[in-house]
Amino acid sequence: NPVSDMENNVRGTLNMLESARRNGVGRFIFASSGAPVGEVEPPIHEELAARPVSPYGASKMAGEGYCSAYYRSFGIETVSLRFGNVYGPGSSRKFSVVAKFIKQAMKGEPCEIYGDGKQTRDFIFVEDLLGAILNSAGLRNEPDAWGEVFQIASNREHAINELAIILGEELKKRGVRLETKYGPFRVGDVKRNYSDTSKAARLLGWSAEVSLEEGIARTVAWFCEGCGHE
């Protein structure tokens, strides 16, 4: 639904920025995505030209553009963070692949992998993501960061098939079986995705610390111990 996507991600972001300008808010952290870059040879970095392959990516690209403009036109210290594939405790309402697969497995439903499962993603644990947000909010005297875009991910590439195996092993320890099935590729789904996070390390003083194996273990534990039912 590209029109609804635009209303939420473009008009919504602009409304927030304009409210910040009118109310004297000095710092604005924008939750972006790797989607604006589109289909490129990874690792994704901030100097790549944005060529989104999905309406969602186009909407996030527009948000980044408005953040840049509001810093350069009005002096609001904007920071655009391109989140990787976020997962972790507290994600019972998310429909991204980690949370979805765990919930489906717990219900005894098969987990559908789009295409051949060889497509890769850069998964970032929620606590690492929060660290990037807090670092951005707490920056002092870092003019090189204002109006800029940052890749916020683990700087590691994992295939969906690999993710399913790690999830399956953790769920098995708790008596839950993960069954997979394969469906057609989704239009606009990039084949490879992982990020170079060196700019965030240099200007935000941030890098990811939690491995996929550790993060999945902690996420599965949260769901299986009953915390996934809020």
Side-chain angles (χ1 to χ4, degrees):
N1 193 335
V3 174
S4 175
D5 202 63
M6 181 277 294
E7 290 288 345
N8 282 286
N9 287 339
V10 182
R11 192 183 301 276
T13 300
L14 178 59
N15 286 343
M16 294 292 287
L17 281 164
E18 184 61 9
S19 180
R21 181 177 75 89
R22 291 175 180 270
N23 289 281
V25 174
R27 181 76 51 82
F28 189 97
I29 313 300
F30 176 52
S32 189
S33 161
V37 178
E39 186 74 71
V40 297
E41 186 70 19
I44 296 173
H45 57 84
E46 296 83 358
E47 299 305 313
L48 291 169
R51 294 188 178 88
V53 298
S54 66
Y56 172 78
S59 71
K60 287 297 188 180
M61 181 178 71
E64 292 177 357
Y66 274 114
C67 284
S68 174
Y70 267 67
Y71 167 61
R72 289 167 175 83
S73 293
F74 307 119
I76 297 176
E77 296 172 350
T78 61
V79 180
S80 295
L81 304 180
R82 287 178 172 170
F83 296 174
N85 289 68
V86 188
Y87 71 99
S91 57
S92 60
R93 291 186 172 88
K94 280 181 67 67
F95 294 97
S96 52
V97 63
V98 174
K100 182 175 72 171
F101 277 11
I102 294 173
K103 289 185 286 186
Q104 288 175 328
M106 292 176 69
K107 293 177 182 177
E109 300 173 355
C111 303
E112 183 176 14
I113 295 175
Y114 301 115
D116 59 11
K118 295 179 181 179
Q119 63 269 36
T120 63
R121 297 293 181 266
D122 193 332
F123 297 98
I124 180 169
F125 192 61
V126 63
E127 289 182 9
D128 280 333
L129 176 69
L130 289 172
I133 295 170
L134 291 171
N135 280 23
S136 300
L139 286 175
R140 295 288 184 272
N141 301 318
E142 288 287 352
D144 290 343
W146 312 144
E148 291 296 309
V149 173
F150 296 90
Q151 300 293 144
I152 302 299
S154 71
N155 194 29
R156 297 180 182 89
E157 184 177 23
H158 295 280
I160 300 301
N161 286 334
E162 179 187 0
L163 170 69
I165 291 170
I166 296 171
L167 273 172
E169 290 174 349
E170 283 299 325
L171 286 164
K172 185 178 179 180
K173 295 175 184 176
R174 296 173 179 272
V176 178
R177 180 172 179 268
L178 187 147
E179 177 187 352
T180 58
K181 65 177 183 179
Y182 290 86
F185 279 108
R186 292 188 300 180
V187 176
D189 210 8
V190 298
K191 301 299 186 297
R192 293 184 64 202
N193 184 307
Y194 77 98
S195 297
D196 176 349
T197 59
S198 57
K199 183 178 177 182
R202 186 174 73 255
L203 294 180
L204 304 181
W206 174 88
S207 60
E209 298 179 356
V210 180
S211 70
L212 183 61
E213 290 79 6
E214 177 188 347
I216 290 297
R218 292 168 64 180
T219 305
V220 167
W222 185 84
F223 273 93
C224 290
E225 289 167 7
C227 300
H229 305 286
E230 297 176 0

